[in-house]
Amino acid sequence: MKKLSLVICVFNEEPNIKPLSEQIQQALKNIDFEAIFVDDGSTDNTRSEILKINDDRFILVELKRNYGQSSALQAGIDQADGEYVALIDGDLQNDPADIPGMLKMMENENWDMVAGVRANRKDGMFLRKAPSKIANYMIRQSTGTKMKDLGCTLKIFTKETIKSIHIYGELHRFIPVLITLEGATRITQVDVNHRPRKFGTSKYNLSRTTKVMSDLFLMLFFKKYLQRPMHFFGGLGIITFGIGALINLYLLILKILGHDIWGKPLLLLGILLVMGGIQFVTTGIIAELQMRTYFESQQKKPYRVKRVIAAKEVK
């Protein structure tokens, strides 16, 4: 087993491959490592540049098409076999020279994750920095995960920590939240070098904002209701059904008193609320069954044991 597995996702990063590989070799020369390049369906010569690296510690994982950063990261993590797993961007903005120090922190201080913070970020203010700061603030306040820079890819995990989660959709931004949900409590941050992009073009655009917002709602649901979705849907269902029932009871009384209630908007609202309440409760029951299938089919436990100590060992 290697000491460190380095996962690098790349998409059309042809001019960055050679300098990045050289920087990795230099920075990690005293570390037993493997570097896993995941080519996420590049249409340029990225794959050819990776294959030119004359070092058997470098591995190419070539995906059949462009799946997106989350799926590419998962492919690299699945391939990783190191005691520790590091993630780094393939655009040269993250500095491989920061990795040895972060790895030393992991070993000496027993962290589950050490995350980089781009202290002097080399990006545009309005298109990159400002939206990122707003998103980071919202995620911190909503999830309780006290991370300054969730958008920095440079992170190191223990193998057990990163392999305890599965990254789908666009959830790579929420990796600290996901590992926290799986029981990782020892996480820290450290300032890292951030460099301006020299080659290639950024894959970032403002359309990601809506994706971040929708993923944030998903994280909030995971955090509070993953193991008990009926509490969420059932609560909504009871409230909705109750309001609808009260409206219909009120209209029934009016009808008994001789008033004409047919065609009133309030009648339609009452019927819709009752039907909606039933739908929410039904959705909660289905979600509960799916959660049971999720845990039992994969033999996953709804808890994480930190350690077990025999009573005689306590003095």
Side-chain angles (χ1 to χ4, degrees), residues 49-61:
E49 288 298 311
I50 296 171
L51 293 175
K52 288 178 182 178
I53 302 172
N54 187 24
D55 190 330
D56 58 10
R57 295 174 296 180
F58 285 77
I59 300 168
L60 169 64
V61 175

Side-chain angles (χ1 to χ4, degrees), residues 168-234:
Y168 302 102
E170 295 284 334
L171 295 183
H172 58 274
R173 305 176 187 87
F174 295 90
I175 290 178
V177 181
L178 291 171
I179 65 169
T180 301
L181 291 175
E182 290 294 327
T185 57
R186 292 189 53 77
I187 60 178
T188 191
Q189 306 164 89
V190 61
D191 288 348
V192 296
N193 186 27
H194 190 250
R195 304 175 293 191
R197 177 183 271 274
K198 292 184 177 180
F199 309 108
T201 58
S202 173
K203 314 304 184 295
Y204 178 90
N205 57 64
L206 290 178
S207 67
R208 289 189 179 183
T209 304
T210 56
K211 296 178 182 178
V212 172
M213 292 300 297
S214 59
D215 287 339
L216 177 57
F217 288 125
L218 179 62
M219 286 296 99
L220 291 175
F221 180 82
F222 278 177
K223 187 176 179 64
K224 294 186 177 182
Y225 301 107
L226 177 63
Q227 296 182 28
R228 44 191 173 92
M230 188 61 183
H231 288 191
F232 176 75
F233 293 107

